Amino acid sequence: MLREDIIIDIFSGWRSFLRKCLFRVLRVGPIPSHIAVIMDGNRRYAKKKKIDDMTGYDAGALALLHLIIYCMELGVKYVTAYAFSIDNFRRHPEEVQKIMDLTMESVMLLTWISKLRLVRVHFAGNLQLLSADIQDAAKRLMESTAGYNNFVLTICICYTCSDEILHAVEESCKEKWDDGIGIMGYDEGNDYERLIKVVDIEKHMYMAIAPDPDILIRTGGEYRLSNFLIWQSSCCHLSSLGTVWPEFGMFHLVWVVLDFQQNYRYFAKKKLQL
Protein backbone atom coordinates (compact mmCIF):
# COMPACT_ATOMS: atom_id res chain seq x y z
CA MET A 1 0.00 0.00 0.00
CA LEU A 2 1.34 3.44 -0.94
CA ARG A 3 1.93 5.90 1.89
CA GLU A 4 -0.66 8.26 0.42
CA ASP A 5 -3.23 5.44 0.62
CA ILE A 6 -2.16 4.67 4.20
CA ILE A 7 -2.67 8.30 5.23
CA ILE A 8 -6.11 8.47 3.64
CA ASP A 9 -7.00 5.24 5.47
CA ILE A 10 -5.83 6.72 8.79
CA PHE A 11 -7.95 9.85 8.30
CA SER A 12 -11.09 7.84 7.60
CA GLY A 13 -12.96 4.76 8.84
CA TRP A 14 -13.99 3.45 12.23
CA ARG A 15 -10.48 3.67 13.67
CA SER A 16 -10.42 7.39 12.99
CA PHE A 17 -13.82 7.76 14.71
CA LEU A 18 -12.68 5.87 17.84
CA ARG A 19 -9.42 7.81 17.94
CA LYS A 20 -11.24 11.15 17.76
CA CYS A 21 -13.55 10.06 20.59
CA LEU A 22 -10.53 9.20 22.75
CA PHE A 23 -8.82 12.50 21.92
CA ARG A 24 -12.00 14.40 22.77
CA VAL A 25 -11.84 12.94 26.29
CA LEU A 26 -8.13 13.75 26.49
CA ARG A 27 -8.80 17.38 25.58
CA VAL A 28 -10.68 17.83 28.85
CA GLY A 29 -7.23 18.42 30.32
CA PRO A 30 -4.49 20.77 29.08
CA ILE A 31 -3.10 19.86 25.65
CA PRO A 32 0.54 20.60 24.82
CA SER A 33 1.13 23.18 22.13
CA HIS A 34 4.46 21.73 21.01
CA ILE A 35 5.72 18.14 21.06
CA ALA A 36 9.31 17.33 20.08
CA VAL A 37 10.59 13.82 19.52
CA ILE A 38 13.96 12.06 19.26
CA MET A 39 13.21 9.14 16.95
CA ASP A 40 15.58 6.54 18.38
CA GLY A 41 15.61 2.80 17.70
CA ASN A 42 15.15 2.38 13.94
CA ARG A 43 18.17 0.10 13.56
CA ARG A 44 17.30 -1.89 16.68
CA TYR A 45 13.82 -2.37 15.26
CA ALA A 46 15.33 -3.67 12.01
CA LYS A 47 17.56 -6.08 13.91
CA LYS A 48 14.63 -7.27 16.01
CA LYS A 49 12.48 -7.89 12.91
CA LYS A 50 15.44 -9.35 10.97
CA ILE A 51 15.11 -6.83 8.17
CA ASP A 52 17.66 -4.46 6.63
CA ASP A 53 18.37 -1.13 8.30
CA MET A 54 16.79 0.87 5.48
CA THR A 55 13.47 -0.89 5.96
CA GLY A 56 13.75 0.02 9.64
CA TYR A 57 14.22 3.70 8.75
CA ASP A 58 11.27 3.46 6.38
CA ALA A 59 9.12 2.10 9.21
CA GLY A 60 10.33 5.00 11.36
CA ALA A 61 9.26 7.52 8.71
CA LEU A 62 5.81 5.93 8.66
CA ALA A 63 5.61 6.17 12.47
CA LEU A 64 6.34 9.91 12.18
CA LEU A 65 3.50 10.32 9.68
CA HIS A 66 1.16 8.62 12.14
CA LEU A 67 2.34 10.95 14.93
CA ILE A 68 1.70 14.01 12.75
CA ILE A 69 -1.87 12.90 12.07
CA TYR A 70 -2.53 12.06 15.72
CA CYS A 71 -1.22 15.43 16.89
CA MET A 72 -3.33 17.29 14.33
CA GLU A 73 -6.44 15.50 15.56
CA LEU A 74 -5.51 16.02 19.21
CA GLY A 75 -5.01 19.76 18.80
CA VAL A 76 -1.23 19.97 19.10
CA LYS A 77 -0.09 22.78 16.80
CA TYR A 78 3.68 22.18 16.65
CA VAL A 79 5.59 18.94 16.15
CA THR A 80 9.38 18.83 15.87
CA ALA A 81 11.25 15.67 14.87
CA TYR A 82 14.99 15.02 15.20
CA ALA A 83 15.63 13.33 11.87
CA PHE A 84 19.38 13.56 11.34
CA SER A 85 22.19 14.92 13.50
CA ILE A 86 25.35 16.48 12.12
CA ASP A 87 27.16 13.76 14.08
CA ASN A 88 25.34 11.12 12.01
CA PHE A 89 27.60 11.96 9.06
CA ARG A 90 30.21 9.83 10.86
CA ARG A 91 28.21 6.72 10.03
CA HIS A 92 29.00 4.51 7.05
CA PRO A 93 28.65 6.52 3.81
CA GLU A 94 26.26 3.97 2.33
CA GLU A 95 23.92 4.29 5.32
CA VAL A 96 24.07 8.10 5.17
CA GLN A 97 23.21 8.04 1.47
CA LYS A 98 20.23 5.76 2.06
CA ILE A 99 18.95 8.11 4.76
CA MET A 100 19.33 11.05 2.37
CA ASP A 101 17.38 9.12 -0.28
CA LEU A 102 14.63 8.55 2.29
CA THR A 103 14.75 12.26 3.17
CA MET A 104 14.14 13.18 -0.46
CA GLU A 105 11.24 10.75 -0.64
CA SER A 106 9.81 12.18 2.58
CA VAL A 107 10.01 15.73 1.21
CA MET A 108 7.88 14.66 -1.75
CA LEU A 109 5.34 13.03 0.57
CA LEU A 110 5.24 16.05 2.88
CA THR A 111 4.51 18.21 -0.14
CA TRP A 112 1.40 16.15 -0.76
CA ILE A 113 0.35 16.18 2.92
CA SER A 114 0.87 19.93 3.24
CA LYS A 115 -1.61 20.56 0.44
CA LEU A 116 -4.11 18.09 1.87
CA ARG A 117 -4.10 19.48 5.44
CA LEU A 118 -2.53 22.97 5.08
CA VAL A 119 0.57 21.98 7.06
CA ARG A 120 3.49 24.37 7.29
CA VAL A 121 6.76 22.46 6.93
CA HIS A 122 10.04 23.85 8.19
CA PHE A 123 13.52 22.33 8.02
CA ALA A 124 15.81 23.34 10.88
CA GLY A 125 19.54 22.83 10.79
CA ASN A 126 22.63 23.52 8.72
CA LEU A 127 20.97 22.82 5.37
CA GLN A 128 24.17 23.69 3.51
CA LEU A 129 25.41 20.22 4.46
CA LEU A 130 22.67 18.63 2.33
CA SER A 131 23.02 17.85 -1.35
CA ALA A 132 21.82 20.53 -3.76
CA ASP A 133 18.73 18.61 -4.87
CA ILE A 134 17.52 18.05 -1.30
CA GLN A 135 18.26 21.68 -0.41
CA ASP A 136 16.21 22.90 -3.38
CA ALA A 137 13.30 20.55 -2.63
CA ALA A 138 13.29 21.54 1.05
CA LYS A 139 13.41 25.27 0.27
CA ARG A 140 10.57 24.95 -2.25
CA LEU A 141 8.45 23.12 0.31
CA MET A 142 9.16 25.72 3.02
CA GLU A 143 8.32 28.58 0.64
CA SER A 144 5.13 26.96 -0.64
CA THR A 145 3.80 26.28 2.88
CA ALA A 146 4.96 29.50 4.57
CA GLY A 147 1.41 30.88 4.56
CA TYR A 148 -0.11 27.92 6.42
CA ASN A 149 -0.56 28.24 10.18
CA ASN A 150 -2.98 25.48 11.21
CA PHE A 151 -0.16 23.05 12.01
CA VAL A 152 3.62 23.45 11.92
CA LEU A 153 5.96 20.51 11.36
CA THR A 154 9.68 21.09 11.89
CA ILE A 155 12.18 18.50 10.68
CA CYS A 156 15.57 18.92 12.34
CA ILE A 157 18.10 17.69 9.79
CA CYS A 158 21.86 18.28 9.83
CA TYR A 159 21.12 19.68 13.28
CA THR A 160 22.74 19.91 16.68
CA CYS A 161 21.86 22.48 19.31
CA SER A 162 25.55 23.44 19.59
CA ASP A 163 25.56 24.35 15.90
CA GLU A 164 22.23 26.16 16.30
CA ILE A 165 23.59 28.35 19.11
CA LEU A 166 26.80 29.08 17.18
CA HIS A 167 24.75 30.03 14.13
CA ALA A 168 22.49 32.31 16.19
CA VAL A 169 25.44 34.10 17.83
CA GLU A 170 27.17 34.59 14.49
CA GLU A 171 24.01 35.97 12.88
CA SER A 172 23.39 38.28 15.86
CA CYS A 173 26.92 39.68 15.65
CA LYS A 174 26.63 40.13 11.90
CA GLU A 175 23.33 41.95 12.31
CA LYS A 176 24.80 44.39 14.85
CA TRP A 177 27.89 44.90 12.74
CA ASP A 178 25.84 45.60 9.60
CA ASP A 179 23.82 48.13 11.59
CA GLY A 180 27.06 49.90 12.49
CA ILE A 181 26.62 49.23 16.20
CA GLY A 182 29.37 46.73 16.91
CA ILE A 183 29.19 44.03 19.52
CA MET A 184 30.08 45.95 22.67
CA GLY A 185 29.21 49.55 23.56
CA TYR A 186 29.26 51.98 26.45
CA ASP A 187 26.32 53.24 28.44
CA GLU A 188 26.16 56.64 30.10
CA GLY A 189 27.98 55.35 33.17
CA ASN A 190 30.95 54.27 31.00
CA ASP A 191 30.22 50.65 31.80
CA TYR A 192 30.24 48.00 29.15
CA GLU A 193 26.80 47.37 27.77
CA ARG A 194 25.89 44.07 26.19
CA LEU A 195 24.55 44.75 22.74
CA ILE A 196 24.02 41.04 22.00
CA LYS A 197 21.12 39.99 24.18
CA VAL A 198 19.26 36.72 24.64
CA VAL A 199 16.38 38.02 22.54
CA ASP A 200 18.81 38.64 19.66
CA ILE A 201 20.15 35.10 19.84
CA GLU A 202 16.71 33.50 20.08
CA LYS A 203 15.56 35.48 17.05
CA HIS A 204 18.24 33.80 14.94
CA MET A 205 17.84 30.25 16.24
CA TYR A 206 16.85 27.59 13.72
CA MET A 207 13.86 26.87 15.98
CA ALA A 208 12.64 30.48 16.15
CA ILE A 209 9.61 29.38 14.16
CA ALA A 210 8.13 27.49 17.14
CA PRO A 211 7.67 28.06 20.88
CA ASP A 212 9.72 26.00 23.31
CA PRO A 213 8.46 22.40 23.48
CA ASP A 214 6.01 21.39 26.19
CA ILE A 215 6.96 17.71 25.82
CA LEU A 216 10.17 16.13 24.56
CA ILE A 217 9.86 12.40 23.83
CA ARG A 218 12.77 10.02 23.35
CA THR A 219 12.14 6.44 22.35
CA GLY A 220 14.49 3.47 22.56
CA GLY A 221 14.92 3.53 26.33
CA GLU A 222 17.63 6.19 26.28
CA TYR A 223 17.82 9.17 28.66
CA ARG A 224 20.06 11.49 26.61
CA LEU A 225 19.08 14.64 24.72
CA SER A 226 21.83 13.99 22.14
CA ASN A 227 22.38 17.71 21.51
CA PHE A 228 18.72 18.26 20.61
CA LEU A 229 16.85 21.44 21.67
CA ILE A 230 19.06 21.87 24.74
CA TRP A 231 18.49 25.64 24.69
CA GLN A 232 14.71 25.25 24.36
CA SER A 233 14.04 22.35 26.75
CA SER A 234 14.94 23.89 30.10
CA CYS A 235 11.29 23.83 31.19
CA CYS A 236 9.58 21.01 29.34
CA HIS A 237 8.29 17.56 30.25
CA LEU A 238 10.86 14.89 29.33
CA SER A 239 9.52 11.45 28.50
CA SER A 240 11.74 8.44 27.83
CA LEU A 241 9.95 5.40 26.41
CA GLY A 242 11.33 1.88 26.21
CA THR A 243 9.69 1.22 22.85
CA VAL A 244 11.74 1.72 19.70
CA TRP A 245 10.56 4.48 17.40
CA PRO A 246 8.89 2.45 14.59
CA GLU A 247 6.67 0.84 17.25
CA PHE A 248 5.55 4.19 18.68
CA GLY A 249 1.78 4.42 18.36
CA MET A 250 -1.33 6.25 19.46
CA PHE A 251 -1.47 4.78 22.96
CA HIS A 252 2.15 5.78 23.62
CA LEU A 253 1.18 9.35 22.72
CA VAL A 254 -1.90 9.19 24.97
CA TRP A 255 0.20 7.95 27.89
CA VAL A 256 2.75 10.75 27.41
CA VAL A 257 0.04 13.43 27.25
CA LEU A 258 -1.67 12.05 30.37
CA ASP A 259 1.66 12.16 32.20
CA PHE A 260 2.12 15.75 31.01
CA GLN A 261 -1.34 16.68 32.28
CA GLN A 262 -0.55 15.27 35.73
CA ASN A 263 2.54 17.51 35.93
CA TYR A 264 1.08 20.49 34.08
CA ARG A 265 0.76 22.82 37.09
CA TYR A 266 4.43 22.33 38.00
CA PHE A 267 5.68 23.19 34.51
CA ALA A 268 3.24 26.08 34.11
CA LYS A 269 4.55 27.54 37.39
CA LYS A 270 8.17 27.11 36.26
CA LYS A 271 7.51 28.90 32.97
CA LEU A 272 6.00 31.87 34.82
CA GLN A 273 9.24 32.16 36.82
CA LEU A 274 11.39 32.52 33.70
Side-chain angles (χ1 to χ4, degrees), residues 126-169:
N126 190 347
L127 303 186
Q128 298 300 318
L129 299 177
L130 295 169
S131 62
D133 57 338
I134 298 179
Q135 283 187 52
D136 292 341
K139 289 178 181 177
R140 284 197 302 270
L141 181 55
M142 287 191 287
E143 290 172 358
S144 66
T145 63
Y148 301 154
N149 59 10
N150 291 339
F151 183 86
V152 180
L153 170 66
T154 302
I155 305 295
C156 290
I157 186 167
C158 300
Y159 173 94
T160 62
C161 194
S162 300
D163 179 72
E164 179 182 32
I165 294 171
L166 178 61
H167 164 80
V169 171

Side-chain angles (χ1 to χ4, degrees), residues 51-237:
I51 54 179
D52 62 272
D53 287 351
M54 199 56 211
T55 305
Y57 284 115
D58 201 50
L62 189 58
L64 176 58
L65 292 177
H66 280 81
L67 176 66
I68 293 168
I69 293 168
Y70 298 157
C71 286
M72 290 173 65
E73 292 179 345
L74 182 59
V76 178
K77 184 172 181 177
Y78 299 90
V79 168
T80 299
Y82 199 7
F84 191 82
S85 166
I86 292 176
D87 297 333
N88 290 150
F89 279 111
R90 299 172 185 170
R91 295 182 178 179
H92 194 280
E94 183 179 354
E95 180 183 357
V96 172
Q97 184 57 50
K98 287 181 178 179
I99 294 174
M100 291 300 145
D101 292 341
L102 178 60
T103 299
M104 189 63 178
E105 180 184 340
S106 298
V107 170
M108 298 300 104
L109 183 61
L110 288 172
T111 301
W112 181 79
I113 295 174
S114 66
K115 294 177 181 178
L116 180 67
R117 290 286 168 166
L118 302 182
V119 175
R120 181 176 184 180
V121 182
H122 178 70
F123 291 88
N126 190 347
L127 303 186
Q128 298 300 318
L129 299 177
L130 295 169
S131 62
D133 57 338
I134 298 179
Q135 283 187 52
D136 292 341
K139 289 178 181 177
R140 284 197 302 270
L141 181 55
M142 287 191 287
E143 290 172 358
S144 66
T145 63
Y148 301 154
N149 59 10
N150 291 339
F151 183 86
V152 180
L153 170 66
T154 302
I155 305 295
C156 290
I157 186 167
C158 300
Y159 173 94
T160 62
C161 194
S162 300
D163 179 72
E164 179 182 32
I165 294 171
L166 178 61
H167 164 80
V169 171
E170 288 176 342
E171 289 299 311
S172 298
C173 292
K174 183 177 181 297
E175 181 180 57
K176 296 296 183 180
W177 187 267
D178 290 344
D179 290 342
I181 299 175
I183 301 174
M184 298 292 291
Y186 289 96
D187 62 15
E188 294 181 356
N190 292 327
D191 293 326
Y192 278 108
E193 177 188 6
R194 292 176 181 166
L195 296 182
I196 301 296
K197 299 180 173 62
V198 171
V199 66
D200 298 313
I201 294 175
E202 290 185 335
K203 180 174 65 175
H204 292 288
M205 299 286 271
Y206 296 138
M207 288 298 301
I209 192 173
D212 291 349
D214 300 296
I215 299 175
L216 196 158
I217 302 169
R218 176 158 192 159
T219 56
E222 299 291 344
Y223 294 87
R224 297 175 287 109
L225 291 180
S226 296
N227 216 343
F228 178 58
L229 302 188
I230 297 174
W231 179 284
Q232 298 88 349
S233 59
S234 61
C235 194
C236 80
H237 180 74

